[in-house]
Amino acid sequence: MAVVGIILIFTFVISAGLPLFFKVGPYRFLFGMEWRPTGGQFGILPLILGTLLVVAGALVVGGSAGVVTAIFLSELCPQVLKRTFKVVVELLAGIPSVVYGFFGIIVLIPFIRSQVGGSGYGILSASIILGIMILPTVTAIAEDAVSSVPIDYKLAGLSLGATDWQTIRQVILPAATGGIATALVLGIGRAIGETMAVLMVIGNAPQIPDSLVKPVSALTSTIALDMAYASGDHRTALFAIAIVLLLIITLLLISIRLLHARLGSAE
Amino acid sequence: MASEVKFEKVDFYYGAFKAIDSLQLTILARKVSAFIGPSGCGKSTVLRMVNRTNELVAERTRLEGRVLIADENIYDGVDLFSLRKKVGMVFQRPNPFPKTVYENIAWAPRIHGVKRTDELDEIVEKSLKRAALWDQVKNKLKSSALSLSGGQQQRLCIARSIAVNPEVLLMDEPTSALDPRATARIEDLVEELKADYTIVIVTHSMQQAARISDSTAFFLSEGAGRPGRLIEFGETERVFTNPSSRLTEKYITGRFG
Ligand SMILES: Nc1ncnc2c1ncn2[C@@H]1O[C@H](COP(=O)(O)OP(=O)(O)OP(=O)(O)O)[C@@H](O)[C@H]1O
Ligand SMILES: [Mg+2]
């Protein structure tokens, strides 16, 4: 069933978007600097860059915070607090995307406007919001990875007179690298696919930015915004963007597979 | 340098549960002392008192009385890190780090301040030789420790402990996961090491205790929820041939536990 669904989606998206690749040419589509679909310019480089920057920013914010939270939860936090913290993290995962976007508009954007500059809409805001959104994913999976490192290692390290931190950093984390990497890759996947909250705070200007507070556009947000009115080549171009997204996600999933295969054989 | 370990009127609690009742025991330096007794009588607990790792495996622990290493009370304002450096521990399941053979040994000395590579090389070689493992691993120092056999892994763990020059070496059923040949090699090693260390070994094998220990301590708990007590402690040969307690006799002749 799932397989059929996936095949259907892929076939549909590809057949709807592929014509544009041929019309514009894959190079001019992927690396064209100008996205002005109503004026016949179909270069999605600004959108790709927008997505990459925002996702990288989210990884810096949410990835590091997620890994730190995971270490705290599995190694340092007393049992009693642990449950409370886990519930909080799970709640974070259950909040609808639009609420994050709303929070961004009401709280984050005015803050950034006054503290950092610009309109507030842009890469920085989107990165922070996305960072918070991927936090639960990263935390949950990284926590799994860190706590599945046998307690024997920790006991061995501490019994040799090492400090908690030395043991965590030099024994436990290296032993959990595979799982932590998986957590980060899944975080990236979540960040790439996220649409609503990004759309609300990113500013939606398909330009190549020169600072972190410049508004940009992402692949997903462009599809969501334009789909409402696009027709003709413009509409086809949106499907072509969807193909690019599918490709990126597929690559990510393959990289997780490879990661696991390599770790599996190293054990 | 090997040191004497002394327990003075020690009560030990996990939360509200009293696991050990008024333990009075002196473990001699440069000797092998065996802890025997049925499961749950507190052997591991007593062992872990010596490097204060009970507090790592349980959240609320409490100790009354004094535990002295070389006449210093280790439950009174002692630095935990230098204590644990002074007291090596070998576990039931071999637990080398998922690192190279070399790194397994070099890690702790480096943590404790040895920086120079040639010095570390020397420590690695010396420790592995001391653990009778050098000849087998000298060509695979850069391989993962997890690629060694179980017995080799356990000797690597012994070498890892030795690398920081401990005074006391604690071993909690170090051969229970090993086959008879690997067990024999560990036993030989223990006999050799006692010249330099105070060794305490927990074992479920009467034969092992009889073979390698100089003194034997027999612990017993009178049932679930009751604290473990030291029933008898003395020279191994005497304890096995002429135990002073009926309970010891019952245990070593296999009538309970
Ligand atoms: N981490 C812990 N938290 C609470 N109670 C514990 C803990 N570890 C041990 N105990 C209890 O303390 C008592 C002594 O346990 P201990 O593990 O020291 O016995 P042992 O003689 O080593 O047993 P075995 O031969 O099975 O290893 C048991 O009743 C056990 O349930
Ligand atoms: Mg035990």
Side-chain angles (χ1 to χ4, degrees):
Chain A
M1 202 43 224
V3 178
V4 175
I6 285 172
I7 292 175
L8 274 179
I9 291 174
F10 267 75
T11 328
F12 172 68
V13 170
I14 290 174
S15 62
L18 213 52
L20 193 99
F21 273 94
F22 293 119
K23 187 158 180 188
V24 181
Y27 184 85
R28 276 190 44 215
F29 178 67
L30 290 173
F31 300 104
M33 306 269 276
E34 202 177 349
W35 171 256
R36 202 152 46 75
T38 44
Q41 295 295 327
F42 296 105
I44 63 165
L45 190 64
L47 311 183
I48 293 180
L49 272 182
T51 294
L52 285 183
L53 285 170
V54 167
V55 168
L59 202 59
V60 171
V61 176
S64 51
V67 172
V68 170
T69 313
I71 294 170
F72 174 74
L73 281 179
S74 59
E75 298 298 322
L76 304 170
C77 173
Q79 283 299 333
V80 231
L81 278 179
K82 192 166 165 171
R83 230 167 282 140
T84 323
F85 266 98
K86 279 190 148 172
V87 171
V88 171
V89 171
E90 276 159 21
L91 270 179
L92 224 47
I95 298 176
S97 177
V98 67
V99 176
Y100 280 101
F102 197 57
F103 167 80
I105 291 175
I106 302 293
V107 179
L108 190 62
I109 284 179
F111 179 80
I112 288 183
R113 187 189 304 139
S114 66
Q115 299 299 316
V116 189
S119 67
Y121 291 90
I123 301 169
L124 189 58
S125 306
S127 294
I128 294 173
I129 291 292
L130 264 185
I132 301 174
M133 292 181 76
I134 68 171
L135 187 71
T137 312
V138 176
T139 305
I141 297 166
E143 205 254 338
D144 258 3
V146 176
S147 33
S148 69
V149 173
I151 176 119
D152 302 26
Y153 294 156
K154 185 178 177 181
L155 285 178
L158 296 176
S159 302
L160 287 162
T163 62
D164 276 300
W165 182 236
Q166 285 167 331
T167 308
I168 291 172
R169 213 176 67 83
Q170 301 179 27
V171 177
I172 297 177
L173 287 187
T177 331
I180 292 175
T182 305
L184 293 176
V185 175
L186 286 174
I188 295 176
R190 170 108 211 261
I192 290 178
E194 177 48 45
T195 310
M196 194 59 196
V198 173
L199 182 152
M200 290 165 79
V201 300
I202 199 171
N204 302 304
Q207 57 177 334
I208 295 190
D210 54 11
S211 96
L212 286 184
V213 287
K214 281 280 157 67
V216 291
S217 283
L219 295 165
T220 47
S221 59
T222 304
I223 298 178
L225 273 180
D226 292 12
M227 205 42 120
Y229 66 90
S231 61
D233 281 349
H234 186 185
R235 194 178 164 84
T236 319
L238 296 182
F239 281 103
I241 294 177
I243 298 179
V244 174
L245 275 170
L246 285 179
L247 277 179
I248 296 175
I249 296 292
T250 311
L251 283 178
L252 277 178
L253 289 176
I254 291 176
S255 74
I256 291 182
R257 274 290 132 116
L258 292 179
L259 210 71
H260 277 252
R262 234 192 56 202
L263 287 168
S265 62
E267 289 281 301
Chain B
M1 185 187 71
S3 301
E4 201 170 88
V5 180
K6 210 184 274 179
F7 298 86
E8 286 181 355
K9 293 241 279 295
V10 174
D11 294 332
F12 187 87
Y13 299 83
Y14 288 109
F17 169 62
K18 188 182 207 179
I20 295 294
D21 182 52
S22 60
L23 173 63
Q24 192 79 34
L25 172 66
T26 300
I27 294 167
L28 296 177
R30 285 188 204 79
K31 298 272 188 243
V32 177
S33 302
F35 285 2
I36 60 171
S39 201
C41 66
K43 307 178 293 294
S44 300
T45 300
V46 174
L47 201 68
R48 288 194 299 255
M49 284 179 197
V50 184
N51 65 347
R52 294 192 53 178
T53 50
N54 280 314
E55 35 219 278
L56 298 179
V57 299
E59 284 213 341
R60 291 185 306 123
T61 62
R62 187 158 59 86
L63 182 137
E64 283 166 11
R66 310 202 304 162
V67 181
L68 308 155
I69 297 183
D71 292 322
E72 186 192 11
N73 183 0
I74 60 168
Y75 281 81
D76 187 18
V78 82
D79 172 38
L80 275 182
F81 306 111
S82 53
L83 167 69
R84 290 182 186 147
K85 176 169 179 276
K86 204 152 64 174
V87 184
M89 183 141 192
V90 176
F91 299 78
Q92 179 169 359
R93 215 173 49 169
N95 62 348
F97 298 130
K99 297 176 181 289
T100 64
V101 171
Y102 183 96
E103 272 308 309
N104 261 276
I105 312 288
W107 188 73
R110 201 182 284 125
I111 291 258
H112 292 294
V114 181
K115 292 265 148 47
R116 284 177 36 199
T117 319
D118 54 342
E119 243 178 291
L120 285 170
D121 289 350
E122 197 186 314
I123 292 175
V124 170
E125 179 170 347
K126 219 177 78 188
S127 310
L128 286 170
K129 279 187 170 152
R130 198 74 184 84
L133 193 59
W134 175 252
D135 287 333
Q136 290 152 66
V137 301
K138 65 182 172 203
N139 293 323
K140 34 180 170 175
L141 294 176
K142 296 271 173 277
S143 321
S144 166
L146 304 182
S147 69
L148 304 180
S149 72
Q152 290 175 336
Q153 287 188 16
Q154 195 60 306
R155 272 178 288 147
L156 183 68
C157 292
I158 294 174
R160 178 175 69 184
S161 296
I162 291 175
V164 291
N165 286 319
E167 299 168 18
V168 181
L169 209 49
L170 309 172
M171 301 186 169
D172 198 347
E173 305 184 40
T175 63
S176 66
L178 304 181
D179 64 40
R181 257 189 61 202
T183 298
R185 305 196 68 156
I186 301 274
E187 289 182 0
D188 291 344
L189 179 58
V190 168
E191 299 233 20
E192 276 172 39
L193 290 175
K194 79 172 180 190
D196 301 317
Y197 308 97
T198 305
I199 298 180
V200 188
I201 182 167
V202 173
T203 178
H204 275 286
S205 152
M206 299 304 116
Q207 290 80 3
Q208 182 167 70
R211 274 194 302 266
I212 62 174
S213 72
D214 301 293
S215 316
T216 296
F218 171 60
F219 294 86
L220 187 65
S221 138
E222 280 151 22
R226 306 291 299 278
R229 285 186 301 120
L230 177 64
I231 303 295
E232 178 157 4
F233 180 65
E235 208 182 302
T236 297
E237 207 182 311
R238 210 262 310 138
V239 171
F240 276 93
T241 54
N242 185 21
S244 55
S245 160
R246 292 277 303 282
L247 297 169
T248 316
E249 189 182 339
K250 249 169 95 182
Y251 180 69
I252 57 185
T253 53
R255 262 174 287 165
F256 65 82

